[in-house]
Structures are given as structure tokens and as C-alpha cells.
Amino acid sequence: MKPDRITSGVVFTVPPSLPRGRHELPREQVVAAQRERMLIAATELLAGAGYRGFGVREICARAAVSRAAFYECFADKDACVDAAYDRFIAVFLERLGSEDGVGGFVTSYLETLSSDRVAARAFQVEMDALGRPARQRRRQAIERLAQLIRDLLPGGSAVPLSACVGAIYALRQIASDALDSDDDPDLLALAPELTTWLTRMVEDPA
């Protein structure tokens, strides 16, 4: 079964098709479009087939690029998946950094996952299967998100970062379980309850 497609404009943007044959497009523009298509392909394959279900050949076929084009951008499959995950996290950091309070943070987190469930399944559910380097990448991302939520709190500098890390882990795991157990989860329905007890976790960590 073919994996679903990402929602363009959320984490990734599907580039326009490149003209066939000779053209005058700058080389940088061609490479950027090919790279974006490879990131999209890796994300869709990860979400649909799991990490062991695809390789460079499948990424190239889905992205309609040559292996030479792939290796011009990435050293191997892991490098491509890691770059896609970094983009995923960058979107969260950008969106959540402008929120006001824990409730806004939680709602924006769940809304971002809901707006592209293919990317959400790839990087919330399947990413952990990539091994220790991927888990280390996840820990670093969670610490950055934890710092964001601490900065939103009144007197946040007095709140232990570990309390915010625990809150992000809880939020991430509950959302991941919903994505893993249901093809069409109502993630936003989780927001009120999650907001209530995550607020208690970070505002009264004792």
C-alpha cells in the first residue's frame, strides 16, 4: 500500500515540476527542488512503511530523482531522514515560540500535528525506530521545546527545566499514541485535559 501524501505548506512544500529537457533554471533552484522532493518522499515512506521498509532507491523513485542527485544532497538514507526531522522540529519551534501560555502551546502543538498527519506519524511514531542517534536528536528537540514552554511561564526561570521536559515528553507520548492507534485521531480533543494537568506539572513541579 502506498503511503499517504504530506500536506503541502505545513512542514514541507511540494515544489513545482521541473521542465523536461534543456532549460535555463539556475542549478541551485533545481537542486533545492530535488532536495525538497526527497525530504517529502522520505517522510511519506517513513510514515507508510516504517524505517526498514524503504531505502535510497525507494526515496529516489518516489521523488523522481536520480541516485546521483540524491548523493549530491545526502550521504545516505539516515542523513535524508534526519534533515526531514530537523525541518519538522524547526516548524514546531517557529510556531510554538509565539504562543502565550501553556494552553496556547498545547493547542498549537496539537494543531501542527493535525495539519500534516503524515509528517506527524513519521516523526512522532516511526522516528524512534532509527536507533540511538535518532533518539538523541529527539532528546535535543524536546529540550528545546521544554525551554520554550518554560519561557512562557510567569517567573519561568524559577521552574526546573526537568519539569518542562517531563511535560513535553508526556504531551508527545499521548499525541503519538493517538496517532499510532487511530487512522483519524481527533488530536485537538486532547487539548483541554492536557492543558490542565500540564499546567499543574510545570507551575507546581513539587
Side-chain angles (χ1 to χ4, degrees), residues 10 24 28 33 63 67 115 117 122-123 129 150:
V10 180
E24 297 181 357
E28 294 80 6
R67 290 176 73 90
S115 61
R117 294 184 184 178
F123 301 119
R150 186 167 74 165

Side-chain angles (χ1 to χ4, degrees), residues 78-87 89 123 127-128 130-144 169 172:
D78 283 359
C80 183
V81 172
D82 286 346
Y85 179 72
D86 288 346
R87 174 81 68 80
I89 294 301
F123 301 119
M127 188 71 181
D128 288 354
L130 273 68
R132 181 175 292 178
R135 292 193 295 271
Q136 176 62 24
R137 217 175 196 88
R138 179 201 65 202
R139 286 192 290 271
Q140 292 170 349
I142 284 174
E143 288 178 1
R144 294 172 73 186
Y169 266 111
R172 181 185 186 276

Side-chain angles (χ1 to χ4, degrees), residues 41-42 45 49 52-64 67 77:
L45 288 164
R52 291 181 172 80
F54 69 99
V56 171
R57 180 176 62 183
E58 288 75 21
I59 293 174
C60 292
R62 191 169 183 84
R67 290 176 73 90
K77 180 179 83 168

Side-chain angles (χ1 to χ4, degrees), residues 4 9-10 18 48 58 69 78 84 86 95 104-105 111 116 119 123 133 153 165-166 168 189 203:
D4 291 333
V10 180
L18 296 172
E58 288 75 21
D78 283 359
D86 288 346
R95 291 191 174 197
F105 184 98
E111 284 178 342
D116 187 348
F123 301 119
L153 299 171
V165 168
I168 297 297
E203 291 186 348

Side-chain angles (χ1 to χ4, degrees), residues 134-191:
R135 292 193 295 271
Q136 176 62 24
R137 217 175 196 88
R138 179 201 65 202
R139 286 192 290 271
Q140 292 170 349
I142 284 174
E143 288 178 1
R144 294 172 73 186
L145 291 170
Q147 185 62 61
L148 274 184
I149 201 170
R150 186 167 74 165
D151 290 344
L152 294 174
L153 299 171
S157 59
V159 177
L161 183 61
S162 59
C164 298
V165 168
I168 297 297
Y169 266 111
L171 174 59
R172 181 185 186 276
Q173 191 59 52
I174 290 172
S176 297
D177 287 346
L179 287 162
D180 196 29
S181 61
D182 191 341
D183 289 338
D184 189 26
D186 184 0
L187 295 177
L188 288 175
L190 302 171

Side-chain angles (χ1 to χ4, degrees), residues 5 20 22 24 28 36 39-40 51 55 63 70 89 96 107 112 116 123-124 133 137 139 156 163-164 179 181 185 204:
R5 300 286 183 178
R20 294 181 178 275
R22 297 177 64 86
E24 297 181 357
E28 294 80 6
E36 188 76 356
L39 294 176
I40 291 169
Y51 178 70
F70 178 90
I89 294 301
L96 302 182
T107 299
T112 302
D116 187 348
F123 301 119
Q124 291 272 130
R137 217 175 196 88
R139 286 192 290 271
C164 298
L179 287 162
S181 61
D204 186 18

